[in-house]
Amino acid sequence: MTPQLPYATLRQIFARFAGIEPEPKSELEHVNAFTLLVAVALSAQATDVGVNKATRRLFQIADTPEKMLALGEDGLIEHIRTIGLYRNKARNVIKLSRLLIETFGGEVPSSRAALMTLPGVGRKTANVVLNMWFHHPAQAVDTHIFRVGNRTGICPGRDETAVERAIEDNVPVEYQAHAHHWLILHGRYICTARKPRCGICPIRDWCLYEEKTA
């Protein structure tokens, strides 16, 4: 496994990320905490572009748990059938909408434990909502972050939980709030899976990846 880069190097790397994009944003479209939660839940094994295409109209008519329940599972399916696993996801969104009303007064809770009681919401989804909406320094590790973390030495780990812990333990605290987004965007557009674009990588000089491309 790639060794962990030293703290001083991580400070330089994240200072570079911050200089390029001081306020990185998620590419998932949403209008409030509820639509963010739904969008993230729908994005599992799907692209942000595909989710956005499906939810633009949906969130115009169902941007609260109450409106989502009124739309119903069949109505929701009509909006999201282009997304993978849409039937199961529709079932979970309706169930979580009902639970939000019955247990949380219609509000999205701001704790990981509470979020993870909702159908279809795992640790990764909960961390995204905590980070983006409630501004907690939670680290949602997806395939991009797992790849970048292990390939570069920024946050190596044998599984997603280990990578999450590596970010929390090693990334300077002032960069924790945006670390998740910087790493996702870097993995999505620069440090890609098959042909990483090392020639234009802003952190090439610090990266431990031995098979750098030209």
Side-chain angles (χ1 to χ4, degrees):
M1 189 170 70
T2 307
Q4 171 71 58
L5 286 168
Y7 180 83
T9 301
L10 292 182
R11 179 174 291 282
Q12 291 177 292
I13 286 174
F14 282 95
R16 177 68 57 82
F17 284 147
I20 295 170
E21 182 57 75
E23 296 290 333
K25 304 293 184 185
S26 169
E27 295 180 329
L28 281 176
E29 298 173 6
H30 59 281
V31 296
N32 55 28
F34 174 69
T35 55
L36 173 61
L37 175 62
V38 172
V40 178
L42 293 176
S43 71
Q45 301 180 48
T47 66
D48 289 359
V49 171
V51 172
N52 290 339
K53 180 180 286 189
T55 58
R56 284 190 188 112
R57 173 62 180 156
L58 171 65
F59 291 158
Q60 290 176 7
I61 61 176
D63 60 353
T64 68
E66 293 82 3
K67 292 178 183 177
M68 192 65 75
L69 272 185
L71 181 63
E73 188 174 325
D74 289 340
L76 175 55
I77 284 174
E78 289 305 309
H79 288 274
I80 67 169
R81 62 171 60 253
T82 56
I83 299 175
L85 306 175
Y86 67 90
R87 291 189 184 280
N88 189 54
K89 289 178 179 179
R91 191 175 305 116
N92 283 335
V93 168
I94 295 301
K95 287 180 179 178
L96 74 82
S97 297
R98 182 175 293 109
L99 194 57
L100 285 174
I101 295 169
E102 294 175 350
T103 306
F104 301 104
E107 300 294 326
V108 175
S110 59
S111 83
R112 182 185 290 118
L115 284 165
M116 289 178 65
T117 66
L118 300 171
V121 178
R123 186 180 183 89
K124 187 193 313 180
T125 297
N127 280 350
V128 172
V129 174
L130 290 174
N131 182 286
M132 289 180 57
W133 193 260
F134 297 105
H135 308 296
H136 295 183
Q139 307 301 332
V141 177
D142 68 353
T143 55
H144 294 301
I145 294 181
F146 186 81
R147 179 178 66 255
V148 171
N150 279 287
R151 181 182 277 173
T152 64
I154 291 175
C155 46
R158 297 190 183 281
D159 53 36
E160 292 180 351
T161 301
V163 171
E164 179 183 333
R165 179 61 59 83
I167 298 173
E168 293 174 347
D169 289 349
N170 297 289
V171 173
V173 66
E174 64 266 36
Y175 298 118
Q176 289 270 340
H178 293 319
H180 152 253
H181 283 122
W182 283 319
L183 292 171
I184 283 179
L185 294 173
H186 189 66
R188 186 172 290 167
Y189 297 112
I190 303 294
C191 197
T192 53
R194 295 184 180 179
K195 294 182 179 179
R197 305 172 69 193
C198 302
I200 63 170
C201 175
I203 63 167
R204 178 188 176 103
D205 292 343
W206 299 295
C207 173
L208 297 180
Y209 185 52
E210 294 182 355
E211 301 174 26
K212 291 185 176 70
T213 60

